[in-house]
Amino acid sequence: MDLAELKAAVCEANLATVQTGLVMATFGNASGVDRETGIVAIKPSGVPYDSMTSDDMVAVRLDGSVIDNHYKPSSDLDTHLLLYRAFDGVGGVVHTHSTFATIFAQALTPIPCFGTTHADYFRGTVPVTRHLTEAEIAESYVASTGQAIVDSFAERDPMEVPAALVAGHGPFAWGRTPAEAAMNAHILEECARMAWYSLQLRPDLESLPVALRDRHFLRKHGQAATYGQETPA
């Protein structure tokens, strides 16, 4: 896609986080990457959502060098860039401070897969990162946040669990496009909310059986997916 299309998609993803109640004030940010050109578009830092347009999105390269600088990019830019460099399949990243996902992040508690709603989008537990060291916070806080997310996927496919909780901070979600990343962020918050209330009823609740979890995930994802309509030839 050209730069105008990328910026439009990223702007729509940012606005979607407000429309779905994931973002208040100017918290949160969404970005997208064009893999062919290596260009990333991201929300500008501190710009109110109610006046935001696609022209306000800031374009940078994957190495962080700014292409247009009419606004400063989001303060979380280096986290987004690190995720794009580490996770090849990712085309969009969304960060929010949505209430229930952030509760789990602050409590340093992963979100277990308790039901099929979760399993439809996340093939297992959504991980929580370790706390950053004092040196990481002082020297490279934002990039180290991204590295902590990557570290939590050392033996997992990030496209099968397209989200993580940053310890003491909040959730990041991603997808193949900015729109998919925004949807995953929305579903993550709903799964976190349901998990919270489920644990109030059953503190000893166990995760969904693996066979049922995988049945639901694989009907929507992968080459053998059966959910939805076939795309006309």
Side-chain angles (χ1 to χ4, degrees):
M1 70 176 68
D2 64 26
L3 183 56
E5 291 173 326
L6 178 63
K7 287 187 172 185
V10 169
C11 184
E12 289 174 9
N14 276 289
L15 295 177
T17 65
V18 178
Q19 294 160 0
T20 53
L22 301 180
V23 165
M24 58 179 282
T26 57
F27 291 142
N29 38 72
S31 70
V33 63
D34 181 338
R35 291 289 183 178
E36 291 187 2
T37 62
I39 293 175
V40 174
I42 192 167
K43 174 184 174 287
S45 179
V47 173
Y49 286 87
D50 58 5
S51 62
M52 187 183 300
T53 70
S54 60
D55 288 338
D56 297 328
M57 301 301 106
V58 182
V60 304
R61 297 180 179 85
L62 275 171
D63 64 6
S65 56
V66 177
I67 295 172
D68 52 34
N69 60 356
H70 59 296
Y71 279 129
K72 292 190 299 182
S74 165
S75 58
D76 289 312
L77 172 63
D78 285 348
T79 302
H80 289 243
L81 294 178
L82 200 145
L83 294 178
Y84 287 130
R85 292 195 294 264
F87 299 157
D88 291 340
V90 172
V93 174
V94 169
H95 168 52
T96 76
H97 291 246
S98 60
T99 302
F100 284 91
T102 300
I103 288 170
F104 276 86
Q106 291 180 167
L108 307 182
T109 302
I111 305 174
C113 181
F114 288 137
T116 60
T117 305
H118 181 125
D120 278 341
Y121 289 85
F122 306 101
R123 194 179 186 180
T125 298
V126 176
V128 61
T129 69
R130 58 177 174 80
H131 271 308
L132 302 184
T133 66
E134 289 186 9
E136 287 173 324
I137 293 169
E139 297 170 9
S140 57
Y141 173 60
V142 182
S144 292
T145 296
Q147 188 59 54
I149 294 172
V150 172
D151 291 346
S152 68
F153 282 85
E155 297 180 1
R156 304 182 71 181
D157 183 345
M159 301 309 291
E160 290 190 344
V161 182
L165 309 176
V166 176
H169 187 174
F172 280 78
W174 48 86
R176 293 167 295 181
T177 65
E180 186 174 272
M183 173 60 74
N184 287 339
H186 188 196
I187 299 299
L188 176 67
E189 175 63 8
E190 182 65 10
C191 291
R193 187 176 72 89
M194 290 189 290
W196 169 262
Y197 284 112
S198 297
L199 287 167
Q200 307 316 298
L201 291 173
R202 286 283 303 276
D204 61 344
L205 184 62
E206 295 184 356
S207 296
L208 203 67
V210 171
L212 182 57
R213 180 200 74 189
D214 286 355
R215 172 68 177 82
H216 271 262
F217 182 83
L218 293 173
R219 72 176 183 150
K220 282 193 170 185
H221 307 275
Q223 295 182 346
T226 58
Y227 183 85
Q229 304 299 315
E230 293 184 4
T231 302

